[in-house]
Amino acid sequence: MTILNKNIFILTGAGISSESGIKTFREKDGLWDNHRIEDVCTPEAFQKDPDKVNNFYNERKVVFNRPEIKPNNGHKALVELERICKKDFLIVTQNIDSLHEKAGSKNLLHMHGSLERLYCMNCGHTIAYDFEIDSSFICSNCKKPGKVRVDVVWFGEQPKHLEQIYKFLEKTEVFISIGTSNNVYPAAGFIDYILSKKEKALLYEFNLEKTIKSVLFTRSFKGYASETLPNFIKLVSNRKYKI
Ligand code: APR
């Protein structure tokens, strides 16, 4: 038996991008370094001081655009898994970088949004962008200033694509969680949702360390995702990984 004949749901978090040079959120000196979440990642913070929030994301964007920030072997292994999977395949990422799409992944949802786009809170218009944003920016659609923000999901806001995600979770037969600390819901609850279904699924976790949800997984692969994932997918592809 192989996992390739099953519907595969992949959940990724900051850990998959850390070896590409993007810091994770909760590591020491991570993304929140010198920032309180409340000051930069909430709607209230944007209302109080939009340019503090804009600057935080402008700095993130500069990092994401550095030429050395490229997809690593973990991202690439998932492209291969999508290519060889014979049933339905979906990647849901909590990351706002675009390393999965740069690697070549196709069926992908950014549940926490993406730093590739801006969004107008007045008219809902979104645009791709590649420049520094500040609060004087005028929406090209409704012409209102001060309403345009990064298209990322802040604390206290509803994640994106939930309907599509839960629809896929319903039929998920293999759930693979990669590089996430399982601290932020609803993503951290996907495994509980799958476990609450009648049909049994296979649950694999790839992480550097144990997480608060590790005990729930069928198997945990400890180590760098850029190594453990390609090794696993090679075994799967050669039919040497038995389930
Ligand atoms: N390979 C595998 N796992 C790794 C690697 C690696 N190379 N490097 C780090 N990790 C693991 C860490 O052990 C940790 O469990 O990745 C996890 C990263 O956890 P977080 O920093 O909490 O990131 P994430 O789970 O993606 O955060 C979820 O929280 O702040 C919000 O919106 C933000 O999307 C983010 C969400």
Side-chain angles (χ1 to χ4, degrees):
M1 278 278 273
T2 164
I3 66 164
L4 298 176
N5 296 327
K6 296 181 178 291
N7 295 321
I8 302 178
F9 184 114
I10 309 279
L11 173 68
T12 65
I16 195 165
S17 294
S18 69
E19 290 166 78
S20 294
I22 298 175
K23 285 177 179 171
T24 62
F25 290 89
R26 289 171 182 81
E27 74 186 82
K28 203 167 163 287
D29 302 326
L31 266 186
W32 305 126
D33 198 21
N34 298 324
H35 295 281
R36 293 189 318 146
I37 290 175
E38 311 87 79
D39 290 344
V40 286
C41 297
T42 63
E44 294 75 22
F46 188 73
Q47 222 166 14
K48 189 168 149 211
D49 192 345
D51 281 330
K52 187 174 197 173
V53 175
N54 286 328
N55 288 337
F56 174 76
Y57 285 101
N58 285 338
E59 282 168 25
R60 305 275 82 76
K61 185 109 171 152
V62 169
V63 172
F64 290 4
N65 281 342
R66 283 189 191 143
E68 69 271 22
I69 306 285
K70 293 194 191 108
N72 64 54
N73 288 339
H75 298 101
K76 291 179 194 164
L78 292 180
V79 178
E80 176 62 5
L81 185 58
E82 180 167 19
R83 192 184 69 75
I84 59 179
C85 174
K86 295 190 172 58
K87 267 179 109 179
D88 292 342
F89 180 93
L90 177 67
I91 300 177
V92 173
T93 186
Q94 298 169 87
N95 300 341
I96 58 170
D97 65 59
S98 49
L99 293 175
H100 282 303
E101 44 274 63
K102 282 189 179 144
S105 287
K106 299 272 180 289
N107 213 10
L108 167 73
L109 297 174
H110 279 271
M111 68 178 290
H112 291 168
S114 147
L115 214 46
E116 293 290 304
R117 301 193 74 78
L118 296 173
Y119 156 71
C120 175
M121 294 183 294
N122 186 53
C123 69
H125 185 63
T126 73
I127 54 160
Y129 82 112
D130 210 356
F131 46 83
E132 286 201 346
I133 179 182
D134 65 57
S135 54
S136 66
F137 190 79
I138 295 173
C139 172
S140 57
N141 186 52
C142 69
K143 314 292 180 209
K144 280 235 157 82
K147 294 288 176 191
V148 177
R149 55 170 272 191
V150 289
D151 195 13
V152 305
V153 176
W154 289 327
F155 284 91
E157 295 183 320
Q158 168 98 320
K160 294 173 185 281
H161 314 295
L162 287 183
E163 206 181 316
Q164 221 177 320
I165 290 171
Y166 280 99
K167 203 167 160 205
F168 199 106
L169 283 172
E170 269 303 314
K171 63 175 181 184
T172 293
E173 297 167 291
V174 179
F175 175 75
I176 302 179
S177 164
I178 305 158
T180 175
S181 60
N182 289 312
N183 268 299
V184 174
Y185 284 80
F190 291 165
I191 182 162
D192 305 293
Y193 186 82
I194 293 176
L195 286 168
S196 72
K197 293 191 306 170
K198 228 169 51 223
E199 304 80 29
K200 290 258 174 298
L202 292 163
L203 310 158
Y204 299 132
E205 181 178 51
F206 290 80
N207 202 301
L208 271 183
E209 52 195 39
K210 271 206 165 105
T211 69
I212 41 173
K213 299 268 176 172
S214 290
V215 289
L216 300 176
F217 285 85
T218 317
R219 189 165 169 196
S220 291
F221 296 83
K222 202 170 161 191
Y224 292 100
S226 69
E227 293 168 7
T228 52
L229 262 183
N231 289 343
F232 171 73
I233 289 160
K234 206 162 151 194
L235 289 177
V236 168
S237 154
N238 295 335
R239 310 273 164 161
K240 286 188 179 144
Y241 190 82
K242 301 274 179 273
I243 54 174

